[in-house]
Amino acid sequence: MQIADGHRMDRDKLIAHTRPVRKNRPSSRIDVHEAIADNNRIAARYTLHVTQRGRELAIEVCFFGQFTPDGRMRRANMLTRTVAADDQRPRGERS
């Protein structure tokens, strides 16, 4: 199960969401700012950089996940926000 910005997605919904995203955003990269793991849990803060229809986008993500004993993702919770792709400075340093 994945919850992104309060929207619950099961496996079928996630697959349906991913296909058009991959088609519309063929180029992407991730900058991981912080990550920590403890047993079967992980937390990370990263920025996803994508190109969509010739436009550069940056999405800040706070991610919290839990794994099953065999290493598959059991649960994922994400909070996201889109920021200007040309301003990647931490919020406290922006003018």
Side-chain angles (χ1 to χ4, degrees):
M1 171 184 47
Q2 174 176 305
I3 300 173
D5 301 325
H7 300 282
R8 182 181 298 256
M9 287 189 193
D10 61 15
R11 185 175 191 277
D12 292 335
K13 287 181 183 177
L14 182 60
I15 291 169
H17 167 74
T18 303
R19 284 187 178 134
V21 167
R22 290 181 71 194
K23 183 178 180 180
N24 292 327
R25 298 176 181 167
S27 169
S28 65
R29 81 174 200 283
I30 295 175
D31 292 332
V32 177
H33 308 293
E34 301 172 278
I36 188 167
D38 183 34
N39 292 320
N40 67 338
R41 296 179 186 269
I42 187 167
R45 186 177 63 83
Y46 60 90
T47 302
L48 173 62
H49 301 272
V50 296
T51 301
Q52 180 176 348
R53 298 184 186 112
R55 198 174 98 191
E56 297 292 322
L57 299 173
I59 303 165
E60 290 182 347
V61 181
C62 293
F63 176 88
F64 303 92
Q66 183 180 21
F67 295 96
T68 62
D70 65 359
R72 293 178 294 146
M73 183 65 65
R74 169 178 284 156
R75 183 175 305 133
N77 288 282
M78 294 177 280
L79 297 172
T80 67
R81 74 180 191 117
T82 303
V83 296
D86 59 350
D87 188 359
Q88 295 304 301
R89 294 171 290 155
R91 274 185 240 149
E93 297 176 12
R94 297 178 189 162
S95 51

